[in-house]
C-alpha cells in the first residue's frame, strides 16, 4: 500500500473573510493523492485551479479544512516552517519558467539546494546530474536569455528536482511553448514519473495533456465535478 502524499479534507478558501464582500472560491474539496501518481487538475478559467494550486504548493493557506503533505500537517505550522516545507517538499514548474536572469543554468538548478543548506560541492554535483537528466548538460553555463523556451523549461524542471521533493507541482508547464517543444517537456515529466517514481500534479486547461496522466480531477466553480483514473477506474478520494 503506497503512502498518501497529498491529503486534503474539506478544503475551503474564501477571500474578504468577515466582510460583506466575502467570497468562497473553493467549496470543501477532498483530495487524496498516493505516492507515485501523476495527476492532472483541469478546469476552465475561474474554476479554482490556481487557488487550489496555491494551497497544494503551500503558497497560500486554506480558510477551513485540513491539508497534510507527505505526512506533515500544513495546518499547524508557522510561516517559516511553511517556507522550509515549500523548498524541501515541493518542486515548482511554472508556465513562465521563473529562472533567475544573469545566473547560469547550473546555478539556477543549485538555488533550492543553497536555501536548504547543502554544501557547494554537493550542490554542483547534483545540479550537473539533473541537467544531464533533462538533456541540458551542454547548456550548463548558459544564461536564461541564451536559452529557448523549451530549454528554459527543462532547466526549470531540473531545478524543481533539486531537493528530491515529495511532489512536483507543474502549473501549465507547456503553456508558453509550441506543440513540439511542449511534447519534449511532457516526455520529461513522464520520464520522471516512470523512472524515478515521482508524484506529479499537473495544472492544465489542455484536455489532451490531462489524458496522458494517471488520473484527471476536474474542477468547476470551486467544486470537484469529476475524478477518474485514465483507463476508466474511479479516481478515489475526491468529491
Amino acid at each position: 500500500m503506497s503512502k498518501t502524499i497529498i491529503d486534503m479534507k474539506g478544503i475551503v478558501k474564501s477571500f474578504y473573510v468577515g466582510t460583506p464582500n466575502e467570497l468562497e472560491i473553493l467549496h470543501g474539496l477532498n483530495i487524496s493523492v498516493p505516492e507515485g501518481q501523476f495527476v492532472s487538475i483541469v478546469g476552465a478559467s475561474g474554476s479554482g485551479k490556481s487557488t487550489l494550486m496555491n494551497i497544494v504548493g503551500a503558497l497560500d493557506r486554506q480558510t477551513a479544512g485540513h491539508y497534510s503533505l507527505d505526512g506533515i500537517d500544513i495546518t499547524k505550522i508557522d510561516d517559516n516552517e511553511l517556507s522550509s516545507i515549500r523548498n524541501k517538499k515541493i518542486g515548482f514548474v511554472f508556465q513562465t519558467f521563473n529562472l533567475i536572469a544573469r545566473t547560469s543554468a547550473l546555478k539556477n538548478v543549485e538555488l533550492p539546494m543553497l536555501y536548504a543548506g547543502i554544501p557547494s560541492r554537493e550542490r554542483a554535483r547534483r545540479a550537473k546530474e539533473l541537467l544531464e537528466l533533462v538533456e541540458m548538460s551542454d547548456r550548463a553555463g548558459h544564461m536564461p536569455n541564451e536559452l529557448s523556451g523549451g530549454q528554459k523549461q527543462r532547466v526549470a524542471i531540473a531545478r524543481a528536482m533539486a531537493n528530491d521533493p515529495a511532489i512536483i507541482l507543474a502549473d501549465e508547464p507547456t503553456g508558453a511553448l509550441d506543440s513540439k517543444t511542449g511534447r519534449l517537456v511532457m516526455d520529461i515529466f513522464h520520464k520522471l514519473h516512470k523512472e524515478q517514481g515521482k508524484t506529479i500534479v499537473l495544472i492544465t486547461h489542455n484536455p489532451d495533456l490531462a489524458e496522458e496522466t494517471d488520473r484527471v480531477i476536474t474542477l468547476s466553480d470551486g467544486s470537484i465535478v469529476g475524478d477518474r483514473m485514465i483507463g476508466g477506474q474511479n479516481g478515489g478520494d475526491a468529491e
Side-chain angles (χ1 to χ4, degrees), residues 37-109:
Q37 192 170 71
F38 191 169
V39 57
S40 51
I41 296 174
V42 300
S45 183
S47 61
K49 287 196 312 289
S50 296
T51 304
L52 177 59
M53 186 208 76
N54 286 339
I55 294 171
V56 171
L59 295 164
D60 197 4
R61 294 179 188 262
Q62 69 272 24
T63 311
H66 175 269
Y67 175 29
S68 174
L69 172 64
D70 197 19
I72 296 165
D73 188 347
I74 298 295
T75 320
K76 292 181 176 168
I77 61 177
D78 66 26
D79 287 348
N80 284 339
E81 289 174 294
L82 202 61
S83 177
S84 174
I85 296 287
R86 270 199 304 273
N87 185 44
K88 291 176 181 165
K89 294 283 184 187
I90 304 164
F92 292 96
V93 180
F94 298 101
Q95 180 175 340
T96 49
F97 321 124
N98 285 20
L99 298 179
I100 309 296
R102 298 187 296 282
T103 304
S104 70
L106 188 76
K107 293 294 183 190
N108 264 284
V109 176

Side-chain angles (χ1 to χ4, degrees), residues 180-199:
K180 185 181 172 189
T181 312
R183 175 72 268 146
L184 288 170
V185 165
M186 281 301 290
D187 287 345
I188 289 171
F189 284 121
H190 287 301
K191 183 177 173 183
L192 293 176
H193 175 236
K194 289 190 174 76
E195 294 178 11
Q196 305 217 356
K198 277 290 160 200
T199 308

Side-chain angles (χ1 to χ4, degrees), residues 195-234:
E195 294 178 11
Q196 305 217 356
K198 277 290 160 200
T199 308
I200 303 173
V201 178
L202 172 72
I203 314 287
T204 183
H205 67 274
N206 184 330
D208 294 336
L209 292 187
E211 290 297 318
E212 293 184 24
T213 65
D214 295 337
R215 174 184 176 191
V216 182
I217 296 173
T218 306
L219 282 188
S220 178
D221 297 326
S223 295
I224 292 171
V225 295
D227 178 21
R228 64 189 171 90
M229 299 296 288
I230 299 300
Q233 311 145 290
N234 190 344

